[in-house]
């Protein structure tokens, strides 16, 4: 699967992923009101609004980007209708030829992780039919339970040609409470990175592994170190834009071949029309604002990284 993502990145010259993380405050009123009038103030109305909002964002950007990253919690907050919108979003993005990174951050004891892996990147056989429940291409995985929680995902990656990004050093301010703790004289995130290499050796796909890592753009100096520890692991880099990361922080996440990292921006793109820089587009043209923000992000990365 990582080879498919790399092919898309090369074709579009765009090592970026748009995070489809809808919040009610992001969805333009004209979309929400349309479904409130049709279905009342219900979860079904919100879910339909979420999908229409996502569809507009994808239609405006799919030719510029290789991948999208829907954060499942933003859909789960709207219950079963929200999850239906999540699945519809995954399927629509596939129709547009995009790689879908499901930001699910799962990880549990072996049998439970196996069920998560099957549900999101695997398949279920029912009679003579083989069904892929959510069918993301890549998902994010929490390694806190160790190999028991990660290996089931690696096994499914090998069976289904899928991928995972393991949380190593996340972009949030309090990540250091655990991730920076010293263990045998080294920060814990370095030890996790070494496990990513170990797990990744079991699922190579060309020059890179289907087992990648999440390392926040807000910690560029750690990105340089972790890039050295994990030379064959693709790095998903959140924290660009709204969280403070910029193009000048990103060079160390990439290998000398210009590959090895994909940079995420979520609300900086999907809610760009709310940013003063793009406010002239207005809510009616939220998708055009998203496209312009994506173009600006690409320019920033190309000028500062390559």
């Amino acid at each position: 699967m990582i080879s498919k993502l790399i092919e898309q990145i090369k074709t579009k010259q765009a090592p970026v992923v748009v995070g489809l993380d809808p919040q009610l405050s992001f969805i333009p009123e004209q979309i929400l009101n349309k479904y409130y009038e049709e279905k009342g103030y219900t979860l079904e109305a919100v879910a339909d609004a979420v999908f229409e909002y996502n569809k507009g964002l994808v239609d405006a950007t799919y030719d510029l980007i290789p991948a999208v990253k829907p954060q499942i919690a933003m859909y789960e907050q709207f219950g079963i209708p929200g999850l239906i919108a999540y699945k519809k979003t995954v399927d629509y993005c596939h129709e547009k030829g995009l790689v879908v990174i499901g930001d699910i951050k799962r990880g549990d004891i072996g049998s439970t992780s196996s069920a998560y892996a099957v549900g999101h990147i695997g398949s279920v056989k029912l009679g003579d039919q083989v069904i892929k429940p959510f069918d993301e291409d890549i998902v994010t995985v929490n390694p806190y339970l160790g190999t028991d929680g990660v290996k089931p995902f690696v096994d499914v990656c090998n069976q289904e040609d899928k991928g995972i990004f393991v949380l190593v050093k996340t972009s949030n301010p309090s990540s250091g409470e655990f991730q920076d703790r010293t263990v045998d004289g080294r920060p814990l995130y370095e030890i996790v990175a070494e496990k990513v290499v170990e797990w990744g050796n079991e699922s190579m796909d060309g020059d890179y592994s289907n087992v990648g890592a999440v390392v926040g753009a807000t910690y560029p100096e750690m990105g340089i170190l972790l890039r050295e520890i994990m030379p064959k692991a693709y790095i998903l880099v959140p924290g660009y834009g709204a969280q403070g990361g910029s193009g000048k922080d990103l060079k160390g996440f990439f290998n000398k071949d210009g590959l090895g990292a994909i940079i995420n921006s979520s609300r900086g793109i999907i809610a760009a029309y709310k940013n003063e820089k793009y406010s002239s587009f207005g809510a009616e043209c939220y998708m055009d604002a998203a496209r312009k923000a994506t173009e600006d992000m690409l320019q920033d990365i190309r000028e500062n990284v390559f």
Side-chain angles (χ1 to χ4, degrees):
M1 177 51 64
I2 199 65
S3 63
K4 179 181 177 181
L5 178 61
I6 291 171
E7 181 182 353
Q8 285 268 45
I9 290 171
K10 287 181 175 179
T11 298
K12 296 180 178 178
Q13 297 183 310
V16 303
V17 54
V18 172
L20 296 176
D21 303 351
Q23 299 184 38
L24 277 180
S25 61
F26 294 171
I27 302 174
E29 287 188 7
Q30 76 268 14
I31 297 177
L32 281 171
N33 289 338
K34 171 184 171 181
Y35 290 102
Y36 286 153
E37 291 173 7
E38 180 182 328
K39 297 186 175 182
Y41 288 93
T42 62
L43 294 176
E44 288 77 11
V46 172
D48 286 349
V50 164
F51 179 64
E52 181 172 324
Y53 173 62
N54 284 349
K55 191 172 180 292
L57 293 165
V58 172
D59 288 346
T61 59
Y62 78 93
D63 61 315
L64 299 175
I65 60 174
V68 292
K69 184 178 71 65
Q71 163 52 258
I72 199 168
M74 299 303 180
Y75 302 81
E76 288 178 341
Q77 66 181 321
F78 304 122
I80 299 304
L83 281 176
I84 292 171
Y86 178 85
K87 174 58 174 167
K88 287 170 66 177
T89 296
V90 171
D91 292 345
Y92 187 73
C93 292
H94 280 153
E95 289 176 18
K96 290 294 187 178
L98 295 168
V99 172
V100 178
I101 302 169
D103 196 352
I104 64 172
K105 295 185 176 71
R106 299 297 199 262
D108 210 309
I109 61 171
S111 60
T112 312
S113 261
S114 180
Y116 280 137
V118 167
H120 284 279
I121 56 175
S123 56
V124 179
K125 187 171 183 180
L126 303 175
D128 294 331
Q129 295 190 69
V130 176
I131 300 172
K132 296 180 182 295
F134 281 104
D135 198 26
E136 301 100 316
D137 299 301
I138 303 171
V139 292
T140 55
V141 174
N142 189 327
Y144 196 77
L145 276 77
T147 299
D148 289 343
V150 177
K151 191 176 187 305
F153 284 93
V154 178
D155 291 342
V156 173
C157 285
N158 292 335
Q159 294 161 10
E160 305 278 354
D161 187 25
K162 298 283 188 169
I164 60 174
F165 285 114
V166 178
L167 305 182
V168 174
K169 177 58 183 174
T170 56
S171 59
N172 57 301
S174 66
S175 66
E177 289 179 0
F178 297 126
Q179 296 167 20
D180 295 1
R181 289 278 178 164
T182 300
V183 180
D184 295 332
R186 305 169 63 204
L188 180 58
Y189 61 78
E190 286 189 23
I191 297 170
V192 176
E194 289 178 348
K195 293 299 290 186
V196 167
V197 173
E198 179 184 322
W199 297 322
N201 287 336
E202 299 178 19
S203 189
M204 293 301 296
D205 184 18
D207 291 336
Y208 287 90
S209 172
N210 285 320
V211 180
V214 177
V215 181
T218 45
Y219 301 103
E221 69 288 348
M222 297 176 189
I224 295 170
L225 173 64
L226 291 168
R227 175 76 282 164
E228 292 177 357
I229 294 174
M230 305 179 293
K232 300 299 183 182
Y234 239 77
I235 299 177
L236 171 63
V237 186
Y240 179 92
Q243 292 187 55
S246 64
K248 68 180 184 302
D249 302 318
L250 301 174
K251 193 173 183 64
F253 292 91
F254 290 84
N255 280 319
K256 291 181 180 179
D257 60 4
L259 300 171
I262 184 165
I263 316 303
N264 176 79
S265 179
S266 298
R267 62 184 179 271
I269 289 176
I270 69 172
Y273 77 98
K274 289 179 168 288
N275 185 320
E276 184 179 353
K277 181 178 180 181
Y278 307 106
S279 60
S280 61
F281 288 97
E284 292 286 338
C285 297
Y286 75 95
M287 69 291 289
D288 298 319
R291 182 178 180 86
K292 183 65 170 74
T294 303
E295 291 172 339
D296 289 348
M297 178 182 178
L298 285 169
Q299 182 178 353
D300 180 34
I301 291 172
R302 289 165 180 165
E303 288 178 352
N304 286 283
V305 176
F306 305 111

